[in-house]
Amino acid sequence: MSETIQSLLHEERSFEPSAEFKAQANANDPAIYDEAYHNPTKWWEGWANQLDWFEKWHTAMEFDAPNAKWFLGGKLNAAYNCVDRHAEGDRANKPAIIFEGEPGDTKTLTYKEVKDQVSQIANALKSMGVQKGDRVCIYLPMVPELPMTMLACARIGAAHTVVFGGFSADSVRERANDASCKVIVTADGGWRRGNVVQLKKITDEALDMGCPTVESVLVLERTGEATGTVTYKQGRDFKWSETVTTQSTDCPCEPMDAEDLLFILYTSGSTGKPKGITHTTGGYLTGVYATSKLIFDLKEDDIHFCTADCGWITGHSYITYGPMANGATVLIYEGAPDTPDKDRFWRIIEKHRATILYTAPTAIRTFMKWGLEYPGRCDLSSLRLLGSVGEPINPEAWIWYHQNIGMGKCPVVDTWWQTETGAIMISPLPGITSTKPGSATHPFPGVRIKVLDEHGNGVDVAGPGATNTPKGGFLVMDHPWPSMTRGIFNDPERYEKTYWSRFPDSYFAGDGIKLDEDGYLWLLGRVDDIMLVAGHNISTMEVESALVDHPAVAEAAVIGKTHDVKGQAIAAFVILRAGYLPSDALTAEIKAHVGKKIGPVARPDDVYISAELPKTRSGKIMRRLLRDIAEGRALGDVSTLADSSVVASLKDRYEASEG
Ligand code: WTA
């Protein structure tokens, strides 16, 4: 990448927090930014102090790049902090988890009930031989037993590795083996679009391929008769109804060192085997506790609806650990957003009176495509805050979300972070920050962000109101934060090489970023996706945002395609909103719209209208595959795709249109 990434898209709109929101917000004093900036360690210690410790730390932080340790010598337990401390007193009968299954079944569990069930699961795991320091693989649908099993592991000091319930037998095997798991916790099945996903059968396939460390399998009976035949292997497989519900509800919380492993979560690297991202107990919990409280403004009567699955980091940090460390009520949903109809999320919000919604831009753009009819049917007046995560949110999607879901009154927090960062790093604070659609705004207090060019020169991003020099470049952190990963499980070399080798003693996140003249940060996507067109670095994200700004376009993916003269030429794949039909005139109009919006250099050479885009299972567009298609190459690895038929049919249609 050359020296700077140009900033092309200009956004003039700005939204102030309302006086009413500000007055009640958990954070409404901008002075916290300065305070945290000047003494981040002290700031984080203040948050760690709000957790319950069995023994206090003697040293707040130690850093020898790339290795950081926080709260050394401190002892605590994550399950104690997320469950036990709320299970007595005022919160004992407060709902901890409200669950809605895809078929429409619902269940509410109070903190007291969660404590009893987590203890029973923990005792069941112990009865299967799980001890402090062991690893447990969790392969469950999005039912309450998923977060509760995570907490049960934490309770007894076993690290969990959750494998998303949509992953294959091979993924389960690979992860269970890399983490040398002793037990797999799964279900007979889970519901997805009216069908049963055969989790136990897939687990059996994984075990048949070889999982030498797995001794036992615990099976939740979720789908029952609808599953069909489920086989149980004598001595290895145990039914939940016979193994968990019979246990005592008494199970002490293991005192864990602040730096003890809490979990491993695998991220699919673009090449090679998945990376086991590790997180430890004290620092991670401090980070997710603080960010949940300030960014989601969690209050005693909030109903926090995060639509992520616990198979992703978002489900770890902002369903299980962050909100529950705050004693909040979390709302979880098992199934698809269009089952039985495309209004399912809105029905859930209406029914359970959700106050906070945290979802992804890919979902928001899908709702835009489906049209206003669906949210329009439901009463969304309970909502008071909206969040976005996973990808840059295009300004048009931000505005749509704000107007049609938040009814113009809910602050929108666009939160940038990664599996590796554990907790949110860049985000507005809803009672302080004036937001600009498409900008994740400022580093969270206590987080130091740098924008560097390829030579490592750049700026240290200060908080709101500080004087900042505009700059485009690489997103880098050179100061540790408590919830940062402690590395890749069993592979310190790969950790160093992947994240710490681009800039000396600094963590490189892999994302492009720009700082504008008002000190706002704009995420530009993965640097591997940034295009070089006739000597200009252009972010795919900015061109996509200009495309989505056209009234006919619901979703867009942009790539740079090899070009003899320009180096790269821009090709766009777009999905139309309901009610628009493809035509040459429309394609020409869309191209012209981008040219007008951000300048002729960004005008796509080609626009392909498509019904689908290739996405990973967590909803990120796989631009690498689109590049393969556009350049007529054989398709690369498609194993992490949510639906591999999408690429094949795109490729066929692309080749037909190229003639
Ligand atoms: C992208 C998800 C722009 C980014 C929590 C990052 C974002 C990667 C945002 C991590 C955002 C996430 N704006 N980009 N608000 N949030 N990303 O590990 O490229 O699944 O590096 O963690 O998602 O994805 P991961």
Side-chain angles (χ1 to χ4, degrees), residues 112-174:
K112 170 84 182 68
E113 287 166 328
V114 168
K115 181 181 173 225
D116 289 348
Q117 293 199 26
V118 166
S119 302
Q120 287 184 313
I121 302 168
N123 281 329
L125 291 172
K126 277 190 182 170
S127 77
M128 301 168 96
V130 177
Q131 294 170 351
K132 181 174 175 176
D134 284 343
R135 264 100 39 217
V136 172
C137 174
I138 306 178
Y139 184 54
L140 282 171
M142 215 22 218
V143 293
E145 288 79 0
L146 172 46
M148 289 197 292
T149 304
M150 294 162 72
L151 291 162
C153 291
R155 190 170 196 90
I156 59 174
H160 52 74
T161 180
V162 182
V163 178
F164 173 55
F167 275 149
S168 64
D170 210 34
S171 309
V172 176
R173 182 193 53 82
E174 193 172 29

Side-chain angles (χ1 to χ4, degrees), residues 267 312-314 318 358 361 388-393 413-421 426 438 440 475 509-512 522-526 541 618 620:
T267 62
W312 315 118
I313 191 67
T314 305
Y318 299 108
Y358 191 33
S388 170
V389 59
E391 281 179 293
I393 179 166
V413 292
D414 171 15
T415 62
W416 179 88
W417 58 297
Q418 305 178 297
T419 304
E420 296 85 343
T421 69
I426 306 177
L475 166 50
D511 283 24
W522 300 78
L523 276 307
L524 300 174
R526 306 295 295 166
M541 191 271 159
S618 66
K620 294 191 212 297

Side-chain angles (χ1 to χ4, degrees), residues 1-2 4-6 8 527-543 558-572 594 598-606 627 631:
M1 191 167 57
S2 73
T4 53
I5 298 167
Q6 262 112 33
L8 297 171
V527 291
D528 298 345
D529 289 334
I530 287 170
M531 305 169 289
L532 186 59
V533 183
H536 302 268
N537 269 126
I538 297 177
S539 106
T540 50
M541 191 271 159
E542 293 189 311
V543 181
V558 160
I559 52 145
K561 162 182 171 181
T562 310
H563 187 278
D564 293 345
V565 182
K566 296 193 265 193
Q568 281 188 315
I570 299 176
V594 178
I598 55 182
V601 65
R603 188 179 182 279
D605 280 21
D606 303 302
R627 277 196 294 270
E631 296 185 347

Side-chain angles (χ1 to χ4, degrees), residues 369-485:
K369 178 176 69 182
W370 289 343
L372 284 177
E373 177 194 346
Y374 301 100
R377 287 176 186 170
C378 302
D379 174 10
L380 303 178
S381 62
S382 56
L383 289 172
R384 66 180 199 91
L385 185 106
L386 304 175
S388 170
V389 59
E391 281 179 293
I393 179 166
N394 321 100
E396 276 329 291
W398 194 105
I399 293 283
W400 186 92
Y401 194 32
H402 182 255
Q403 281 178 349
N404 300 302
I405 307 303
M407 304 304 160
K409 72 172 171 62
C410 301
V412 175
V413 292
D414 171 15
T415 62
W416 179 88
W417 58 297
Q418 305 178 297
T419 304
E420 296 85 343
T421 69
I424 297 169
M425 303 291 280
I426 306 177
S427 166
L429 292 181
I432 297 179
T433 317
S434 293
T435 48
K436 296 191 193 185
S439 165
T441 75
H442 308 297
F444 185 76
V447 170
R448 293 279 192 91
I449 300 285
K450 280 193 161 175
V451 182
L452 299 183
D453 62 27
E454 59 172 0
H455 307 295
N457 300 318
V459 287
D460 217 336
V461 181
T467 338
N468 281 294
T469 323
K471 175 104 190 161
F474 300 92
L475 166 50
V476 167
M477 278 83 87
D478 65 352
H479 198 281
W481 63 100
S483 64
M484 69 194 272
T485 177

Side-chain angles (χ1 to χ4, degrees), residues 72 76 319 352 391 461 491 579:
L72 291 89
L76 78 169
I319 292 176
H352 303 283
E391 281 179 293
V461 181
D491 202 345

